[in-house]
Amino acid sequence: MQSLSTVTGVVAPLDAANVDTDAIIPKQFLKRVERTGFGQFLFYDWRYENGQENPDFVLNKESYQKAPILLARKNFGCGSSREHAPWALAEFGFSVILAPSFADIFHNNCYKNGILPITLSEEIIQSLFEKTESQLQYKLSVDLESQIITDDEGFEASFEIAPYRKQLLLEGLDEIGATLKEVNHIAKFEKRHKVFFSIS
């Protein structure tokens, strides 16, 4: 997992509420056993019609092809608990998702897969949608260290994140990686445990 510190780039506006995980990565593409290969199927049923690209869907527009920031409406990531949804989003290129609210399990899965889900007020999200409408390739800069979001026109907003989750993202670690940092302490504990419970 790559470390995440500052993300600056185009904001892709997905103007839909209650986007569920089956829309993010449809069930027919969940047959892979690896974590990779899902990005190409992100929002597949919205990106394609009869096997052809839907030119009206936001992520098919050239100006949003490499956007690292996704702007969404409330309850993003609802539905099933499938971890494939953040896998697909990350592989497509998204590092940050901005929304008024997230489904709880999806929210947790994002952190485990190197995506920063940021909760902002409905008013701020609405103002950002308006900016993306008035400006082609509207850009934001998200600074995880300072927990501040800015643009080049004076916009600024702060966001909350648990210190532990923040540190893992900054270091590019999932929970397993964080545990393995303590491998020497674990080995010492196991050695003491084995001696203590050994049968003479």
Side-chain angles (χ1 to χ4, degrees):
M1 203 167 81
Q2 292 187 338
S3 61
L4 190 154
S5 178
T6 301
V7 177
T8 301
V10 173
V11 180
L14 184 65
D15 198 356
N18 303 307
V19 175
D20 63 32
T21 51
D22 196 50
I24 296 171
I25 179 71
K27 58 185 178 301
Q28 65 266 32
F29 302 115
L30 306 184
K31 299 174 183 178
R32 299 180 61 84
V33 295
E34 305 91 351
R35 289 190 175 197
T36 58
F38 295 100
Q40 60 186 314
F41 305 120
L42 181 71
F43 296 115
Y44 188 87
D45 292 340
W46 294 355
R47 287 170 57 208
Y48 297 94
E49 292 181 350
N50 300 317
Q52 302 296 316
E53 276 196 0
N54 174 8
D56 295 325
F57 183 61
V58 60
L59 297 186
N60 286 339
K61 297 180 179 179
E62 186 176 353
S63 54
Y64 300 118
Q65 290 289 307
K66 297 183 179 179
I69 302 171
L70 182 65
L71 180 64
R73 297 291 187 180
K74 65 181 180 179
N75 199 29
F76 188 83
C78 57
S80 75
S81 60
R82 63 186 61 157
E83 203 166 353
H84 305 73
W87 293 351
L89 286 159
E91 191 170 15
F92 195 81
F94 290 115
S95 301
V96 175
I97 305 174
L98 310 175
S101 60
F102 295 88
D104 187 57
I105 294 176
F106 173 83
H107 187 258
N108 291 330
N109 283 341
C110 281
Y111 287 113
K112 295 177 181 179
N113 292 280
I115 296 176
L116 174 58
I118 297 176
T119 303
L120 298 172
S121 70
E122 293 269 9
E123 291 75 18
I124 292 176
I125 292 294
Q126 178 59 36
S127 71
L128 292 176
F129 269 106
E130 292 171 2
K131 287 176 182 289
T132 62
E133 289 176 5
S134 62
Q135 301 178 44
L136 186 64
Q137 292 191 310
Y138 172 69
K139 294 182 179 180
L140 283 173
S141 182
V142 179
D143 189 317
L144 176 57
E145 188 67 57
S146 64
Q147 298 176 213
I148 295 291
I149 306 169
T150 57
D151 68 9
D152 292 333
E153 303 171 348
F155 168 81
E156 181 175 307
S158 61
F159 61 92
E160 298 296 322
I161 182 173
Y164 177 69
R165 285 175 164 170
K166 177 179 178 178
Q167 193 59 38
L168 291 187
L169 286 174
L170 288 170
E171 295 184 30
L173 297 173
D174 58 14
E175 292 169 334
I176 294 174
T179 300
L180 291 176
K181 284 181 63 179
E182 307 299 329
V183 65
N184 291 333
H185 291 96
I186 294 170
K188 289 178 182 179
F189 170 81
E190 289 179 338
K191 185 176 181 179
R192 292 196 306 269
H193 186 271
K194 184 176 181 180
V195 171
F196 184 81
F197 287 99
S198 63
I199 299 174
S200 57

